[in-house]
Amino acid sequence: QVTLKESGPGILQPSQTLSLTCSFSGFSLSTYGMCVGWIRQSSGKGLEWLANIWWNDDKYYNPSLKNRLTISKDTSNNQAFLKITNMDTADTATYYCARSSGGLGFAYWGQGTLVTVSS
Amino acid sequence: DVQMTQSPSNLAASPGESVSINCKASKSISKYLAWYQQKPGKANKLLIYSGSTLQSGTPSRFSGSGSGTDFTLTIRNLEPEDFGLYYCQQHNEYPYTFGAGTKLELK
């Protein structure tokens, strides 16, 4: 059974760095073709893909967030991470991690973690 | 980036009816389009990938069609649990992009 769960600080101030953790079970990110992605959704708005990390450590980022994103993984502990620097109120959103196999859509999603940026 | 234009934004239907949701890509994405269902309190659900391939567990009343730039999600014989938000997403190239969503409501 594949499960994913996001964790984060809940609230942070503008200009701070957001650190998110995706803890998963039921698969290994060292298995060929596996990928974990991060997607966010602002209140009442649509979904925005942020980054992917693959089993072979290939990483892809949404250029709209320029150089603010860093994705990484800890295969031994079944976790993936996302850091976003210089957070702004516009980054307030629910952040999801999700698993893809072979790049064929995100078949498994976490429930999401709400991150609020406020001074 | 590939822009995904999803229509309609809102759709009202009754159980038993059939509905279609469209997604248009700003350039060809071959067959690589996914459809998701989003409902409050539940994890997002992948329904279809690669345009027409049903994800395991997706009921057969869901179908996807299209290639290139134009895609359609059709739901036949709507069930009460089908009402919610639907999103398309292209998985042909980075950055992945989503449509703005379609809210399927009970008439």
Side-chain angles (χ1 to χ4, degrees), chain A residues 41 49 52 54 60 103 106 109, chain B residues 36 38 44 87 91 94 96:
Chain A
Q41 184 171 32
W49 172 79
N52 276 5
W54 289 83
Y60 297 88
F106 292 106
W109 293 66
Chain B
Y36 299 90
Q38 185 175 66
N44 294 334
Y87 291 93
H91 55 99
Y94 289 112
Y96 291 162

Side-chain angles (χ1 to χ4, degrees), chain A residues 7-48:
Chain A
S7 58
I11 187 165
L12 66 165
Q13 294 184 338
S15 81
Q16 288 188 317
T17 294
L18 171 64
S19 294
L20 296 169
T21 299
C22 176
S23 301
F24 55 84
S25 63
F27 69 99
S28 173
L29 242 186
S30 61
T31 299
Y32 179 90
M34 287 297 164
C35 168
V36 167
W38 287 93
I39 302 102
R40 71 180 179 181
Q41 184 171 32
S42 302
S43 178
K45 296 191 177 178
L47 298 160
E48 178 181 28

Side-chain angles (χ1 to χ4, degrees), chain B residues 13 16 19 29 37 39 49 57 62 75-76 81 98 101:
Chain B
V19 296
I29 55 170
Q37 181 190 65
K39 300 182 77 171
Y49 61 90
F62 289 86
I75 314 171
R76 293 184 171 79
E81 61 266 27
F98 289 85

Side-chain angles (χ1 to χ4, degrees), chain A residues 14 17 28 37-38 63-64 71 78 82 94 107 109 111:
Chain A
T17 294
S28 173
W38 287 93
S64 71
I71 193 170
N78 287 340
L82 183 72
T94 296
W109 293 66
Q111 292 282 354

Side-chain angles (χ1 to χ4, degrees), chain A residues 19 26 30 33 37 39 46 71-72 76 95 99 108:
Chain A
S19 294
S30 61
I39 302 102
I71 193 170
S72 60
S76 300
Y95 288 77
R99 191 203 90 168
Y108 298 93

